[in-house]
Amino acid sequence: MFVGFGYDVHRFKKSRKLFLGGVKISDTNGLDGHSDADVLIHALMDALLGAAGENDIGHFFPNTDDKYKNISSVELLKEVVSVLKKKKFKIVNADMTIIAEKPKIYPYIDKMKEILSKTMKIPKARLAVKATTNEKMGFIGRGEGIAAMSVASLKK
């Protein structure tokens, strides 16, 4: 069994779509980043890559490469799954937490799990997506951004 941890954070940016777990949450007040800034998928990819002993997502998808400008993080996750497959890893499970004061995440969790399950080629039952607030503390508490953490396990 191989276990990895991932963390990502992005600040809000007006006039940008918000994507979390591959789901469009809002047409405005999205997250700032080179890709679509899907903080949940970024944390997940780092957890998967870490479990495989690989470099982080910045190595695979540098923010200096226009090829990744505004790209869907679901497409990046597909590439990570391909890297794992080439190394003969199988994804066992992933546990993810979104930390945000807003928006409310619960209504979107099932759709996120559906998209992630399909992309990662594992059953939805092996994915946990949870959300919490930062109790109004720090930059997240002030509504300046969103963070996400993920733990993932692989087997050979």
Side-chain angles (χ1 to χ4, degrees), residues 16-20 23-30 103 108:
R16 184 149 187 196
K17 295 175 182 164
L18 175 61
F19 289 93
L20 293 171
V23 177
K24 185 172 87 167
I25 309 293
S26 167
D27 282 326
T28 59
N29 296 326
Y108 304 98

Side-chain angles (χ1 to χ4, degrees), residues 16 22 37 53 77 112 133:
R16 184 149 187 196
L77 179 57
M112 289 177 193
T133 69

Side-chain angles (χ1 to χ4, degrees), residues 103-121:
K104 294 293 182 198
I105 305 300
Y106 184 78
Y108 304 98
I109 287 176
D110 195 55
K111 183 67 176 169
M112 289 177 193
K113 288 174 68 173
E114 212 173 278
I115 290 168
L116 297 173
S117 165
K118 181 180 174 189
T119 306
M120 296 165 62
K121 300 175 176 77

Side-chain angles (χ1 to χ4, degrees), residues 20-127:
L20 293 171
V23 177
K24 185 172 87 167
I25 309 293
S26 167
D27 282 326
T28 59
N29 296 326
L31 297 172
D32 194 14
H34 188 67
S35 66
D36 65 4
D38 188 325
V39 70
L40 182 65
I41 292 181
H42 292 186
L44 172 61
M45 290 188 297
D46 268 343
L48 292 166
L49 290 166
E54 289 286 344
N55 290 313
D56 67 11
I57 61 173
H59 171 81
F60 285 90
F61 315 112
N63 64 6
T64 54
D65 190 338
D66 284 340
K67 175 172 143 181
Y68 303 115
K69 182 79 172 149
N70 296 318
I71 192 170
S72 165
S73 292
V74 172
E75 293 305 312
L76 301 179
L77 179 57
K78 287 178 186 175
E79 289 189 40
V80 168
V81 169
S82 177
V83 167
L84 299 176
K85 186 176 180 180
K86 285 178 189 163
K87 291 186 78 173
K88 308 234 186 295
F89 282 109
K90 291 185 176 139
I91 301 168
V92 176
N93 76 314
D95 185 2
M96 299 156 271
T97 301
I98 299 166
I99 308 156
E101 294 299 320
K102 60 181 176 151
K104 294 293 182 198
I105 305 300
Y106 184 78
Y108 304 98
I109 287 176
D110 195 55
K111 183 67 176 169
M112 289 177 193
K113 288 174 68 173
E114 212 173 278
I115 290 168
L116 297 173
S117 165
K118 181 180 174 189
T119 306
M120 296 165 62
K121 300 175 176 77
I122 65 170
K124 276 175 43 174
R126 292 202 200 154
L127 296 173

